[in-house]
Amino acid sequence: MKNASSIFDLFSQYGIAIDPKYRASIEERLNGILNYQPSVGVFGKTGVGKSSLCNAMFGQDACKVSDVAACTREPQEVILSMGTQGIKLLDVPGVGENAERDKEYAALYKSLLPELDIVLWVVKGDDRAYESDERFYKNIVKPYIQKGRPFFMVINQVDKIEPFREWDVDKRRPGANQSSNIDEKRRNVAETFGLPLTKVIPVSAGERFGLVELVDSIVHELPKEKKAIVLNETQQENRSHKAKEEAKDGFWDTVVDVITDIIPVGPVVKSVISAGKSIIGKLFSWW
């Protein structure tokens, strides 16, 4: 679906006639929602796999990946367009290189955070040193999180957590002992950063492990009008039935809110509400 006219086309198919004097206002509001370009910021130390995580989530080689050098010196702003309008992805320079750069990055982070819809902070699964992460999170990121901005601490490369030889390569999942240690790592990170356990998501970008759970968590935290727009830009294999249903309900609630805010309550509004479940499944291809 490209714009609000698709919704009105569906209304017509279901015998719902919107008075022309209301249509322009409704279209303008809905197009503003549909054309909104979400911004996702991915933060963390150098070498934790931020770029790899971005690529795995959104199904494109969106960011440069280097196994050796700290390749991201400036924010890499990439517009991904797998779905409707696209998503602005900011792969942000990693902290922890040296004190001078960290001062520069602190100012950069402060300028970026107010504009972001989602903040992901990535740490490495087999890393035990969180000093720079903790300092930046508590002094710079936390104030924005306390204002309600969706935030997740992502533990990447959990396939490297001991005993790493237990990792099931074919099924792309940890063995029993490794799974227990991943859970322990998750609890440790949550305690270190003072976060609820639900805000700490273990993944392996390289193994495509935990990405569905991460997308689920992101969709759940987003405002209802942004759920479907963000989910529409993720790779298909990362969209669970749960996330699709939540995005579907959120988007349709938004449509109804817009219509009821403009059209006086009456037969037309009731028809829109009752037809919702039939119409909503035809708006986005993955529904």
Side-chain angles (χ1 to χ4, degrees):
M1 182 178 64
K2 298 298 182 183
N3 52 53
S5 64
S6 302
I7 299 176
F8 283 94
D9 290 343
L10 289 169
F11 285 161
S12 297
Q13 292 176 24
Y14 283 81
I16 301 171
I18 304 293
D19 193 315
K21 68 180 180 182
Y22 299 125
R23 175 163 175 160
S25 298
I26 295 172
E27 280 198 4
E28 182 180 3
R29 291 268 296 273
L30 292 179
N31 281 329
I33 294 166
L34 288 168
N35 294 327
Y36 180 76
Q37 190 175 73
S39 296
V40 179
V42 187
F43 298 76
K45 286 193 301 190
T46 298
V48 296
K50 301 192 306 297
S51 297
S52 298
L53 176 65
C54 296
N55 294 340
M57 282 184 65
F58 299 103
Q60 300 181 31
D61 291 331
C63 305
K64 299 175 184 178
V65 176
S66 171
D67 293 329
V68 179
C71 61
T72 310
R73 294 295 190 190
E74 300 291 336
Q76 294 190 61
E77 181 177 309
V78 182
I79 307 301
L80 302 180
S81 187
M82 293 181 65
T84 308
Q85 178 65 13
I87 189 168
K88 183 190 293 183
L89 185 66
L90 285 172
D91 183 17
V92 183
V95 301
E97 289 185 58
N98 57 60
E100 183 179 350
R101 285 199 177 278
D102 280 358
K103 288 181 181 179
E104 296 175 8
Y105 294 164
L108 173 65
Y109 285 20
K110 286 180 179 179
S111 69
L112 292 176
L113 281 164
E115 307 302 321
L116 297 173
D117 294 293
I118 304 163
V119 178
L120 304 179
W121 192 285
V122 187
V123 297
K124 199 174 176 182
D126 59 353
D127 195 351
R128 296 184 180 182
Y130 297 132
E131 183 180 351
S132 58
D133 294 280
E134 189 177 358
R135 183 176 69 253
F136 267 73
Y137 169 72
K138 291 184 176 179
N139 294 333
I140 298 173
V141 180
K142 192 174 181 179
Y144 293 96
I145 306 311
Q146 290 174 330
K147 295 177 183 179
R149 196 171 307 282
F151 172 87
F152 293 95
M153 186 71 65
V154 182
I155 309 175
N156 194 19
Q157 303 179 28
V158 295
D159 54 304
K160 295 181 179 180
I161 291 178
E162 295 288 352
F164 67 87
R165 289 185 178 85
E166 274 194 1
W167 187 268
D168 190 323
V169 176
D170 294 330
K171 296 182 179 179
R172 294 183 173 180
R173 67 186 185 190
N177 293 323
Q178 190 180 27
S179 181
S180 178
N181 288 341
I182 290 172
D183 289 341
E184 179 61 30
K185 182 75 170 183
R186 186 184 180 197
R187 289 191 290 270
N188 176 260
V189 169
E191 183 178 351
T192 299
F193 289 88
L195 293 166
L197 198 59
T198 55
K199 294 286 187 178
V200 181
I201 313 294
V203 308
S204 172
E207 295 292 319
R208 300 297 196 269
F209 170 81
L211 299 176
V212 170
E213 289 75 15
L214 177 56
V215 171
D216 279 356
S217 299
I218 290 172
V219 170
H220 181 69
E221 287 291 316
L222 285 166
K224 62 184 180 181
E225 70 275 10
K226 296 180 182 178
K227 294 178 188 290
I229 306 306
V230 170
L231 188 63
N232 201 43
E233 305 304 332
T234 61
Q235 191 172 13
Q236 185 173 353
E237 67 184 44
N238 297 332
R239 302 172 190 156
S240 71
H241 176 74
K242 174 184 176 183
K244 291 178 183 178
E245 288 299 308
E246 189 164 351
K248 180 192 300 184
D249 290 344
F251 184 78
W252 189 250
D253 285 348
T254 301
V255 172
V256 172
D257 286 348
V258 169
I259 291 174
T260 55
D261 191 44
I262 294 173
I263 300 178
V265 176
V268 171
V269 172
K270 291 179 181 178
S271 297
V272 168
I273 294 172
S274 63
K277 294 300 180 181
S278 302
I279 291 175
I280 195 68
K282 299 179 181 180
L283 293 179
F284 290 93
S285 60
W286 43 267
W287 285 343

mmCIF file of all heavy atoms in Angstrom, residues 3-42:
data_model
loop_
_atom_site.group_PDB
_atom_site.id
_atom_site.type_symbol
_atom_site.label_atom_id
_atom_site.label_comp_id
_atom_site.label_asym_id
_atom_site.label_seq_id
_atom_site.Cartn_x
_atom_site.Cartn_y
_atom_site.Cartn_z
ATOM 1 N N ASN A 3 -0.476 4.712 -0.329
ATOM 2 C CA ASN A 3 -1.067 5.902 0.262
ATOM 3 C C ASN A 3 -2.484 5.608 0.715
ATOM 4 O O ASN A 3 -3.015 4.509 0.552
ATOM 5 C CB ASN A 3 -1.043 7.070 -0.727
ATOM 6 C CG ASN A 3 -1.641 6.684 -2.071
ATOM 7 O OD1 ASN A 3 -2.758 6.179 -2.130
ATOM 8 N ND2 ASN A 3 -0.891 6.901 -3.141
ATOM 9 N N ALA A 4 -3.106 6.643 1.291
ATOM 10 C CA ALA A 4 -4.423 6.475 1.895
ATOM 11 C C ALA A 4 -5.513 6.157 0.880
ATOM 12 O O ALA A 4 -6.574 5.639 1.253
ATOM 13 C CB ALA A 4 -4.788 7.729 2.677
ATOM 14 N N SER A 5 -5.293 6.464 -0.398
ATOM 15 C CA SER A 5 -6.327 6.171 -1.394
ATOM 16 C C SER A 5 -6.633 4.676 -1.466
ATOM 17 O O SER A 5 -7.756 4.285 -1.796
ATOM 18 C CB SER A 5 -5.904 6.692 -2.772
ATOM 19 O OG SER A 5 -4.758 6.029 -3.237
ATOM 20 N N SER A 6 -5.638 3.844 -1.133
ATOM 21 C CA SER A 6 -5.866 2.392 -1.105
ATOM 22 C C SER A 6 -6.914 2.024 -0.063
ATOM 23 O O SER A 6 -7.716 1.114 -0.266
ATOM 24 C CB SER A 6 -4.557 1.661 -0.801
ATOM 25 O OG SER A 6 -3.569 1.956 -1.748
ATOM 26 N N ILE A 7 -6.902 2.728 1.048
ATOM 27 C CA ILE A 7 -7.887 2.467 2.100
ATOM 28 C C ILE A 7 -9.275 2.875 1.622
ATOM 29 O O ILE A 7 -10.254 2.139 1.837
ATOM 30 C CB ILE A 7 -7.506 3.232 3.386
ATOM 31 C CG1 ILE A 7 -6.145 2.754 3.888
ATOM 32 C CG2 ILE A 7 -8.571 3.051 4.469
ATOM 33 C CD1 ILE A 7 -5.636 3.509 5.082
ATOM 34 N N PHE A 8 -9.373 3.995 0.958
ATOM 35 C CA PHE A 8 -10.671 4.437 0.450
ATOM 36 C C PHE A 8 -11.179 3.509 -0.651
ATOM 37 O O PHE A 8 -12.387 3.292 -0.775
ATOM 38 C CB PHE A 8 -10.583 5.876 -0.050
ATOM 39 C CG PHE A 8 -10.567 6.887 1.052
ATOM 40 C CD1 PHE A 8 -9.373 7.366 1.559
ATOM 41 C CD2 PHE A 8 -11.754 7.349 1.605
ATOM 42 C CE1 PHE A 8 -9.358 8.292 2.589
ATOM 43 C CE2 PHE A 8 -11.756 8.274 2.625
ATOM 44 C CZ PHE A 8 -10.547 8.752 3.123
ATOM 45 N N ASP A 9 -10.280 2.955 -1.446
ATOM 46 C CA ASP A 9 -10.687 1.971 -2.453
ATOM 47 C C ASP A 9 -11.320 0.755 -1.791
ATOM 48 O O ASP A 9 -12.342 0.229 -2.263
ATOM 49 C CB ASP A 9 -9.483 1.519 -3.291
ATOM 50 C CG ASP A 9 -8.972 2.624 -4.207
ATOM 51 O OD1 ASP A 9 -9.720 3.592 -4.438
ATOM 52 O OD2 ASP A 9 -7.824 2.503 -4.668
ATOM 53 N N LEU A 10 -10.740 0.336 -0.670
ATOM 54 C CA LEU A 10 -11.295 -0.802 0.062
ATOM 55 C C LEU A 10 -12.637 -0.445 0.703
ATOM 56 O O LEU A 10 -13.552 -1.268 0.743
ATOM 57 C CB LEU A 10 -10.303 -1.276 1.129
ATOM 58 C CG LEU A 10 -9.056 -1.986 0.582
ATOM 59 C CD1 LEU A 10 -8.019 -2.168 1.679
ATOM 60 C CD2 LEU A 10 -9.435 -3.346 -0.009
ATOM 61 N N PHE A 11 -12.749 0.764 1.213
ATOM 62 C CA PHE A 11 -14.025 1.213 1.765
ATOM 63 C C PHE A 11 -15.123 1.084 0.699
ATOM 64 O O PHE A 11 -16.230 0.598 0.978
ATOM 65 C CB PHE A 11 -13.941 2.673 2.232
ATOM 66 C CG PHE A 11 -13.198 2.870 3.521
ATOM 67 C CD1 PHE A 11 -12.705 4.120 3.855
ATOM 68 C CD2 PHE A 11 -12.998 1.829 4.406
ATOM 69 C CE1 PHE A 11 -12.027 4.330 5.044
ATOM 70 C CE2 PHE A 11 -12.319 2.021 5.597
ATOM 71 C CZ PHE A 11 -11.822 3.276 5.922
ATOM 72 N N SER A 12 -14.805 1.516 -0.511
ATOM 73 C CA SER A 12 -15.786 1.460 -1.606
ATOM 74 C C SER A 12 -16.200 0.023 -1.896
ATOM 75 O O SER A 12 -17.387 -0.259 -2.134
ATOM 76 C CB SER A 12 -15.205 2.094 -2.871
ATOM 77 O OG SER A 12 -14.940 3.470 -2.669
ATOM 78 N N GLN A 13 -15.232 -0.893 -1.866
ATOM 79 C CA GLN A 13 -15.540 -2.301 -2.117
ATOM 80 C C GLN A 13 -16.493 -2.870 -1.073
ATOM 81 O O GLN A 13 -17.253 -3.795 -1.358
ATOM 82 C CB GLN A 13 -14.250 -3.121 -2.128
ATOM 83 C CG GLN A 13 -13.330 -2.821 -3.298
ATOM 84 C CD GLN A 13 -12.029 -3.598 -3.214
ATOM 85 O OE1 GLN A 13 -11.970 -4.649 -2.588
ATOM 86 N NE2 GLN A 13 -10.982 -3.065 -3.842
ATOM 87 N N TYR A 14 -16.447 -2.316 0.127
ATOM 88 C CA TYR A 14 -17.324 -2.782 1.205
ATOM 89 C C TYR A 14 -18.555 -1.900 1.369
ATOM 90 O O TYR A 14 -19.259 -1.974 2.381
ATOM 91 C CB TYR A 14 -16.545 -2.859 2.527
ATOM 92 C CG TYR A 14 -15.646 -4.076 2.602
ATOM 93 C CD1 TYR A 14 -14.409 -4.085 1.988
ATOM 94 C CD2 TYR A 14 -16.067 -5.231 3.260
ATOM 95 C CE1 TYR A 14 -13.587 -5.201 2.037
ATOM 96 C CE2 TYR A 14 -15.258 -6.351 3.315
ATOM 97 C CZ TYR A 14 -14.024 -6.332 2.696
ATOM 98 O OH TYR A 14 -13.214 -7.445 2.750
ATOM 99 N N GLY A 15 -18.805 -1.059 0.371
ATOM 100 C CA GLY A 15 -20.020 -0.249 0.381
ATOM 101 C C GLY A 15 -20.015 0.884 1.373
ATOM 102 O O GLY A 15 -21.074 1.379 1.767
ATOM 103 N N ILE A 16 -18.820 1.317 1.785
ATOM 104 C CA ILE A 16 -18.709 2.418 2.745
ATOM 105 C C ILE A 16 -18.389 3.703 1.985
ATOM 106 O O ILE A 16 -17.348 3.813 1.343
ATOM 107 C CB ILE A 16 -17.613 2.142 3.790
ATOM 108 C CG1 ILE A 16 -17.914 0.839 4.550
ATOM 109 C CG2 ILE A 16 -17.479 3.310 4.758
ATOM 110 C CD1 ILE A 16 -16.792 0.382 5.450
ATOM 111 N N ALA A 17 -19.290 4.652 2.046
ATOM 112 C CA ALA A 17 -19.128 5.915 1.311
ATOM 113 C C ALA A 17 -18.719 7.024 2.281
ATOM 114 O O ALA A 17 -19.446 7.327 3.232
ATOM 115 C CB ALA A 17 -20.423 6.281 0.607
ATOM 116 N N ILE A 18 -17.534 7.593 2.034
ATOM 117 C CA ILE A 18 -17.051 8.702 2.859
ATOM 118 C C ILE A 18 -17.401 10.018 2.172
ATOM 119 O O ILE A 18 -17.091 10.226 0.995
ATOM 120 C CB ILE A 18 -15.523 8.626 3.052
ATOM 121 C CG1 ILE A 18 -15.108 7.280 3.664
ATOM 122 C CG2 ILE A 18 -15.017 9.780 3.915
ATOM 123 C CD1 ILE A 18 -15.554 7.059 5.070
ATOM 124 N N ASP A 19 -18.083 10.881 2.888
ATOM 125 C CA ASP A 19 -18.453 12.185 2.340
ATOM 126 C C ASP A 19 -17.200 12.914 1.847
ATOM 127 O O ASP A 19 -16.214 13.020 2.587
ATOM 128 C CB ASP A 19 -19.132 13.008 3.445
ATOM 129 C CG ASP A 19 -19.830 14.249 2.893
ATOM 130 O OD1 ASP A 19 -19.198 14.931 2.055
ATOM 131 O OD2 ASP A 19 -20.960 14.530 3.298
ATOM 132 N N PRO A 20 -17.191 13.415 0.622
ATOM 133 C CA PRO A 20 -16.016 14.112 0.060
ATOM 134 C C PRO A 20 -15.502 15.252 0.936
ATOM 135 O O PRO A 20 -14.311 15.557 0.918
ATOM 136 C CB PRO A 20 -16.525 14.637 -1.279
ATOM 137 C CG PRO A 20 -17.607 13.682 -1.659
ATOM 138 C CD PRO A 20 -18.272 13.304 -0.370
ATOM 139 N N LYS A 21 -16.406 15.883 1.688
ATOM 140 C CA LYS A 21 -15.958 17.016 2.502
ATOM 141 C C LYS A 21 -15.049 16.563 3.652
ATOM 142 O O LYS A 21 -14.336 17.388 4.243
ATOM 143 C CB LYS A 21 -17.158 17.789 3.044
ATOM 144 C CG LYS A 21 -17.994 17.047 4.077
ATOM 145 C CD LYS A 21 -19.159 17.917 4.535
ATOM 146 C CE LYS A 21 -20.022 17.193 5.578
ATOM 147 N NZ LYS A 21 -21.174 18.012 5.989
ATOM 148 N N TYR A 22 -15.086 15.270 3.975
ATOM 149 C CA TYR A 22 -14.215 14.733 5.023
ATOM 150 C C TYR A 22 -12.994 14.024 4.440
ATOM 151 O O TYR A 22 -11.976 13.878 5.115
ATOM 152 C CB TYR A 22 -14.974 13.728 5.894
ATOM 153 C CG TYR A 22 -16.161 14.297 6.624
ATOM 154 C CD1 TYR A 22 -17.427 13.715 6.488
ATOM 155 C CD2 TYR A 22 -16.031 15.404 7.460
ATOM 156 C CE1 TYR A 22 -18.522 14.221 7.159
ATOM 157 C CE2 TYR A 22 -17.130 15.922 8.140
ATOM 158 C CZ TYR A 22 -18.374 15.325 7.976
ATOM 159 O OH TYR A 22 -19.454 15.842 8.645
ATOM 160 N N ARG A 23 -13.119 13.562 3.216
ATOM 161 C CA ARG A 23 -12.083 12.680 2.659
ATOM 162 C C ARG A 23 -10.703 13.338 2.620
ATOM 163 O O ARG A 23 -9.701 12.710 2.967
ATOM 164 C CB ARG A 23 -12.475 12.221 1.258
ATOM 165 C CG ARG A 23 -11.385 11.395 0.596
ATOM 166 C CD ARG A 23 -11.851 10.594 -0.573
ATOM 167 N NE ARG A 23 -10.727 9.909 -1.225
ATOM 168 C CZ ARG A 23 -10.845 8.866 -2.010
ATOM 169 N NH1 ARG A 23 -12.053 8.380 -2.277
ATOM 170 N NH2 ARG A 23 -9.784 8.306 -2.560
ATOM 171 N N ALA A 24 -10.611 14.576 2.179
ATOM 172 C CA ALA A 24 -9.311 15.228 2.041
ATOM 173 C C ALA A 24 -8.571 15.298 3.379
ATOM 174 O O ALA A 24 -7.359 15.034 3.455
ATOM 175 C CB ALA A 24 -9.475 16.623 1.456
ATOM 176 N N SER A 25 -9.305 15.634 4.429
ATOM 177 C CA SER A 25 -8.682 15.727 5.762
ATOM 178 C C SER A 25 -8.209 14.367 6.248
ATOM 179 O O SER A 25 -7.123 14.232 6.829
ATOM 180 C CB SER A 25 -9.669 16.327 6.764
ATOM 181 O OG SER A 25 -10.024 17.642 6.401
ATOM 182 N N ILE A 26 -9.035 13.338 6.006
ATOM 183 C CA ILE A 26 -8.662 11.979 6.430
ATOM 184 C C ILE A 26 -7.436 11.503 5.659
ATOM 185 O O ILE A 26 -6.494 10.948 6.241
ATOM 186 C CB ILE A 26 -9.846 11.008 6.225
ATOM 187 C CG1 ILE A 26 -11.009 11.389 7.153
ATOM 188 C CG2 ILE A 26 -9.415 9.567 6.479
ATOM 189 C CD1 ILE A 26 -12.286 10.622 6.882
ATOM 190 N N GLU A 27 -7.437 11.728 4.343
ATOM 191 C CA GLU A 27 -6.297 11.299 3.522
ATOM 192 C C GLU A 27 -5.009 11.987 3.966
ATOM 193 O O GLU A 27 -3.946 11.356 4.025
ATOM 194 C CB GLU A 27 -6.570 11.590 2.049
ATOM 195 C CG GLU A 27 -7.457 10.566 1.374
ATOM 196 C CD GLU A 27 -7.331 10.639 -0.150
ATOM 197 O OE1 GLU A 27 -6.510 11.434 -0.644
ATOM 198 O OE2 GLU A 27 -8.040 9.885 -0.825
ATOM 199 N N GLU A 28 -5.110 13.259 4.248
ATOM 200 C CA GLU A 28 -3.921 13.998 4.663
ATOM 201 C C GLU A 28 -3.331 13.411 5.942
ATOM 202 O O GLU A 28 -2.112 13.209 6.053
ATOM 203 C CB GLU A 28 -4.261 15.476 4.862
ATOM 204 C CG GLU A 28 -3.057 16.323 5.247
ATOM 205 C CD GLU A 28 -3.421 17.788 5.428
ATOM 206 O OE1 GLU A 28 -4.622 18.131 5.308
ATOM 207 O OE2 GLU A 28 -2.499 18.586 5.695
ATOM 208 N N ARG A 29 -4.194 13.119 6.910
ATOM 209 C CA ARG A 29 -3.720 12.558 8.177
ATOM 210 C C ARG A 29 -3.137 11.170 7.981
ATOM 211 O O ARG A 29 -2.069 10.844 8.508
ATOM 212 C CB ARG A 29 -4.883 12.500 9.169
ATOM 213 C CG ARG A 29 -5.385 13.848 9.662
ATOM 214 C CD ARG A 29 -4.692 14.269 10.957
ATOM 215 N NE ARG A 29 -5.012 13.364 12.032
ATOM 216 C CZ ARG A 29 -6.092 13.468 12.832
ATOM 217 N NH1 ARG A 29 -6.972 14.463 12.614
ATOM 218 N NH2 ARG A 29 -6.290 12.631 13.814
ATOM 219 N N LEU A 30 -3.828 10.332 7.214
ATOM 220 C CA LEU A 30 -3.365 8.953 7.021
ATOM 221 C C LEU A 30 -2.079 8.904 6.185
ATOM 222 O O LEU A 30 -1.190 8.091 6.463
ATOM 223 C CB LEU A 30 -4.454 8.108 6.359
ATOM 224 C CG LEU A 30 -5.694 7.823 7.211
ATOM 225 C CD1 LEU A 30 -6.707 6.993 6.429
ATOM 226 C CD2 LEU A 30 -5.315 7.100 8.504
ATOM 227 N N ASN A 31 -1.990 9.765 5.190
ATOM 228 C CA ASN A 31 -0.764 9.806 4.387
ATOM 229 C C ASN A 31 0.427 10.257 5.226
ATOM 230 O O ASN A 31 1.554 9.801 5.012
ATOM 231 C CB ASN A 31 -0.924 10.721 3.178
ATOM 232 C CG ASN A 31 -1.680 10.049 2.046
ATOM 233 O OD1 ASN A 31 -1.609 8.832 1.874
ATOM 234 N ND2 ASN A 31 -2.410 10.833 1.267
ATOM 235 N N GLY A 32 0.169 11.137 6.181
ATOM 236 C CA GLY A 32 1.238 11.549 7.086
ATOM 237 C C GLY A 32 1.775 10.382 7.888
ATOM 238 O O GLY A 32 2.981 10.266 8.134
ATOM 239 N N ILE A 33 0.879 9.473 8.277
ATOM 240 C CA ILE A 33 1.279 8.272 9.022
ATOM 241 C C ILE A 33 1.986 7.277 8.105
ATOM 242 O O ILE A 33 3.048 6.747 8.425
ATOM 243 C CB ILE A 33 0.045 7.622 9.678
ATOM 244 C CG1 ILE A 33 -0.529 8.555 10.754
ATOM 245 C CG2 ILE A 33 0.393 6.255 10.264
ATOM 246 C CD1 ILE A 33 -1.905 8.177 11.230
ATOM 247 N N LEU A 34 1.395 7.036 6.939
ATOM 248 C CA LEU A 34 1.949 6.052 6.010
ATOM 249 C C LEU A 34 3.302 6.477 5.451
ATOM 250 O O LEU A 34 4.150 5.629 5.155
ATOM 251 C CB LEU A 34 0.972 5.809 4.858
ATOM 252 C CG LEU A 34 -0.288 5.026 5.207
ATOM 253 C CD1 LEU A 34 -1.294 5.101 4.081
ATOM 254 C CD2 LEU A 34 0.052 3.573 5.516
ATOM 255 N N ASN A 35 3.500 7.767 5.282
ATOM 256 C CA ASN A 35 4.743 8.267 4.709
ATOM 257 C C ASN A 35 5.800 8.609 5.745
ATOM 258 O O ASN A 35 6.892 9.091 5.405
ATOM 259 C CB ASN A 35 4.470 9.503 3.847
ATOM 260 C CG ASN A 35 3.637 9.164 2.631
ATOM 261 O OD1 ASN A 35 3.751 8.080 2.075
ATOM 262 N ND2 ASN A 35 2.773 10.085 2.223
ATOM 263 N N TYR A 36 5.476 8.344 7.003
ATOM 264 C CA TYR A 36 6.445 8.616 8.067
ATOM 265 C C TYR A 36 7.644 7.684 7.915
ATOM 266 O O TYR A 36 7.492 6.491 7.642
ATOM 267 C CB TYR A 36 5.798 8.414 9.439
ATOM 268 C CG TYR A 36 6.755 8.678 10.576
ATOM 269 C CD1 TYR A 36 7.080 9.985 10.933
ATOM 270 C CD2 TYR A 36 7.341 7.640 11.277
ATOM 271 C CE1 TYR A 36 7.963 10.236 11.969
ATOM 272 C CE2 TYR A 36 8.229 7.880 12.312
ATOM 273 C CZ TYR A 36 8.530 9.176 12.649
ATOM 274 O OH TYR A 36 9.416 9.426 13.672
ATOM 275 N N GLN A 37 8.825 8.236 8.069
ATOM 276 C CA GLN A 37 10.050 7.445 7.926
ATOM 277 C C GLN A 37 10.678 7.258 9.312
ATOM 278 O O GLN A 37 11.313 8.162 9.848
ATOM 279 C CB GLN A 37 11.016 8.158 6.993
ATOM 280 C CG GLN A 37 12.209 7.309 6.579
ATOM 281 C CD GLN A 37 13.055 8.024 5.556
ATOM 282 O OE1 GLN A 37 13.768 8.967 5.891
ATOM 283 N NE2 GLN A 37 12.968 7.594 4.303
ATOM 284 N N PRO A 38 10.510 6.072 9.910
ATOM 285 C CA PRO A 38 11.056 5.835 11.252
ATOM 286 C C PRO A 38 12.582 5.886 11.253
ATOM 287 O O PRO A 38 13.234 5.562 10.261
ATOM 288 C CB PRO A 38 10.569 4.416 11.585
ATOM 289 C CG PRO A 38 9.461 4.139 10.619
ATOM 290 C CD PRO A 38 9.795 4.910 9.389
ATOM 291 N N SER A 39 13.136 6.283 12.395
ATOM 292 C CA SER A 39 14.589 6.339 12.566
ATOM 293 C C SER A 39 15.009 5.359 13.654
ATOM 294 O O SER A 39 14.463 5.386 14.757
ATOM 295 C CB SER A 39 15.041 7.750 12.960
ATOM 296 O OG SER A 39 14.762 8.669 11.925
ATOM 297 N N VAL A 40 15.971 4.516 13.330
ATOM 298 C CA VAL A 40 16.498 3.536 14.276
ATOM 299 C C VAL A 40 17.978 3.818 14.477
ATOM 300 O O VAL A 40 18.747 3.868 13.506
ATOM 301 C CB VAL A 40 16.321 2.097 13.754
ATOM 302 C CG1 VAL A 40 16.897 1.097 14.751
ATOM 303 C CG2 VAL A 40 14.847 1.801 13.484
ATOM 304 N N GLY A 41 18.394 4.023 15.726
ATOM 305 C CA GLY A 41 19.803 4.246 16.044
ATOM 306 C C GLY A 41 20.397 3.011 16.688
ATOM 307 O O GLY A 41 19.806 2.440 17.608
ATOM 308 N N VAL A 42 21.562 2.597 16.193
ATOM 309 C CA VAL A 42 22.232 1.410 16.724
ATOM 310 C C VAL A 42 23.562 1.848 17.311
ATOM 311 O O VAL A 42 24.450 2.313 16.595
ATOM 312 C CB VAL A 42 22.439 0.341 15.626
ATOM 313 C CG1 VAL A 42 22.982 -0.945 16.237
ATOM 314 C CG2 VAL A 42 21.137 0.067 14.895
#
